[in-house]
Amino acid sequence: MAQQAYMTETDNGGSGPERRGDRFRRLVERLLKGWRNDPRIWRRGIVTAVVALLLAGVMLLHSRIPNAVGNLGSLTETFLPWLGLLIPVLLLVGFLRRSATALIAVLLPAIVWLNLFGGLLTDKQGTGGDFTVATHNVNADNPDPTGTAARLAASGPDVLALEELTATAVPTYETALASTYRYHAVEGTVGLWSKYRLTGVKAVDIKLGWTRAMRATVATPHGPVAVYVAHLPSVRVKVNAGFTARQRDTSADALGEAIADETLPRVILLGDLNGTMNDRSLNGVTSQMRSTQGAAGSGFGFSWPAAFPMARIDQIMVKGVEPESSWTLPRTGSDHLPIAARVNLTTSGS
């Protein structure tokens, strides 16, 4: 009888388990209880609101941040997506402070961030394409070049670009990749391996004094394609000098000029540019080419550092070629992640 009485009370909604919807509603009511009829909700949180507005300003006007002092503008642009992490923090502070002013102000940086990077959150990868490329900064100190080469070859690219090759490691890569790639060329510290014949191989002068860029024509089944491989100079963040990148910037301009002078209509750039697509110092290149990750990738595609990727400084860019998909490959013995893309050579890109 006792059990029957309990079940009857439960069915009538008396003392049975509270429904989840009722529990959630009561929780929300408790949280908002102190907000009602509180005139201070508009006066509290002014500092939080100001920080939110400053954050929105930095993201919206990042191209106007000067590089005169420590290349601060380029440093900000390199890690620009990560500024979005401040938005939920400010939102939480505004909520805990019970500040309507702060919560409304936080909407502005959220809108700016979504306008800048919201498109990268969607999966734009297609299933088409007739040509696959990959690039990898293999790291001069890579402890396992043979294993790195094997994993890259197994990923299936038609053309593979390698950067940071040392003279002692080149024979190892040549041996490990010989069974997959019939053709290859090495210029300085960069190399290109291809399943199709290479012609017009030459070093590209990026104003360094030694060779870290090259160009070759790949005789694909769909006609010739100019492929550039580049490893732009590294940048450094120093306490006394900020973000030092003058040599990288000079080399980027030289690379951009070489690509602008290219006579073939279809061009693919593979390499470690030591900068992101947001970095205004790479405008000489980025203004005339498309990023495969931005056009046909999923997510940000961060490639460096491999242990905890925070920026995409390795790039695949195209001109006169249509990107179909773009992705990162599994980690190797390098401090960079390899990246790959599939493009359509039979459809003109913009």
Side-chain angles (χ1 to χ4, degrees):
M1 292 295 292
Q3 181 178 7
Q4 183 178 0
Y6 173 76
M7 293 178 64
T8 301
E9 286 185 312
T10 301
D11 292 339
N12 291 335
S15 59
E18 189 175 14
R19 287 180 298 177
R20 290 183 180 178
D22 294 337
R23 208 159 47 223
F24 178 74
R25 185 173 63 252
R26 293 163 78 93
L27 175 62
V28 172
E29 288 175 352
R30 280 200 300 270
L31 290 173
L32 298 179
K33 183 178 180 180
W35 293 61
R36 295 194 181 98
N37 301 318
D38 181 1
R40 297 188 63 201
I41 63 172
W42 298 104
R43 296 197 294 267
R44 284 192 297 261
I46 299 299
V47 173
T48 304
V50 170
V51 173
L53 295 177
L54 288 174
L55 177 61
V58 169
M59 291 191 292
L60 187 63
L61 304 174
H62 63 85
S63 63
R64 296 182 179 271
I65 300 174
N67 264 341
V69 180
N71 270 31
L72 183 60
S74 287
L75 177 60
T76 302
E77 289 167 336
T78 297
F79 299 102
L80 194 61
W82 293 93
L83 293 181
L85 292 179
L86 296 175
I87 295 173
V89 174
L90 293 174
L91 187 64
L92 178 61
V93 171
F95 189 80
L96 294 177
R97 290 279 294 152
R98 295 179 181 175
S99 169
T101 301
L103 293 178
I104 292 173
V106 171
L107 289 176
L108 184 57
I111 292 171
V112 173
W113 191 93
L114 287 173
N115 182 61
L116 289 172
F117 304 111
L120 294 174
L121 301 180
T122 59
D123 187 350
K124 300 180 289 296
Q125 295 190 95
T127 57
D130 49 32
F131 193 66
T132 303
V133 297
T135 181
H136 189 28
N137 179 326
V138 294
N139 189 358
D141 298 321
N142 191 320
D144 184 22
T146 300
T148 296
R151 284 192 286 275
L152 293 172
S155 66
D158 298 300
V159 164
L160 171 65
L162 301 182
E163 304 87 49
E164 209 165 297
L165 293 169
T166 63
T168 55
V170 167
T172 302
Y173 286 105
E174 289 176 330
T175 301
L177 295 171
S179 61
T180 304
Y181 299 99
R182 182 177 178 182
Y183 307 95
H184 83 279
V186 175
E187 295 285 341
T189 61
V190 297
L192 186 65
W193 276 257
S194 173
K195 294 179 179 180
Y196 307 111
R197 185 167 55 91
L198 300 177
T199 59
V201 176
K202 65 178 182 179
V204 175
D205 182 11
I206 55 173
K207 312 302 182 185
L208 275 176
W210 69 95
T211 302
R212 285 181 33 157
M214 64 177 289
R215 179 248 184 235
T217 298
V218 180
T220 78
H222 307 286
V225 177
V227 176
Y228 285 76
V229 183
H231 183 194
L232 297 187
S234 300
V235 297
R236 298 285 185 269
V237 180
K238 300 179 181 178
V239 174
N240 61 342
F243 191 66
T244 58
R246 182 172 300 174
Q247 185 58 66
R248 190 279 311 268
D249 299 347
T250 300
S251 293
D253 290 340
L255 178 62
E257 291 173 6
I259 293 172
D261 292 338
E262 175 59 52
T263 57
L264 288 179
R266 295 183 295 185
V267 185
I268 298 176
L269 170 62
L270 307 168
D272 174 6
L273 303 190
N274 270 308
T276 69
M277 295 296 294
N278 299 113
D279 191 336
R280 93 275 308 259
S281 296
L282 299 183
N283 281 351
V285 176
T286 58
S287 62
Q288 57 180 318
M289 306 190 80
R290 301 172 70 192
S291 162
T292 58
Q293 184 67 25
S298 177
F300 291 93
F302 294 147
S303 63
W304 178 88
F308 187 80
M310 297 182 66
R312 185 179 177 88
I313 63 175
D314 302 276
Q315 306 291 349
I316 298 175
M317 304 183 68
V318 298
K319 180 167 70 171
V321 172
E322 187 64 29
E324 292 289 343
S325 57
S326 187
W327 62 95
T328 57
L329 294 169
R331 186 178 180 183
T332 68
S334 173
D335 57 341
H336 291 243
L337 292 179
I339 61 174
R342 190 159 179 81
V343 301
N344 196 329
L345 297 180
T346 58
T347 302
S348 297
S350 57

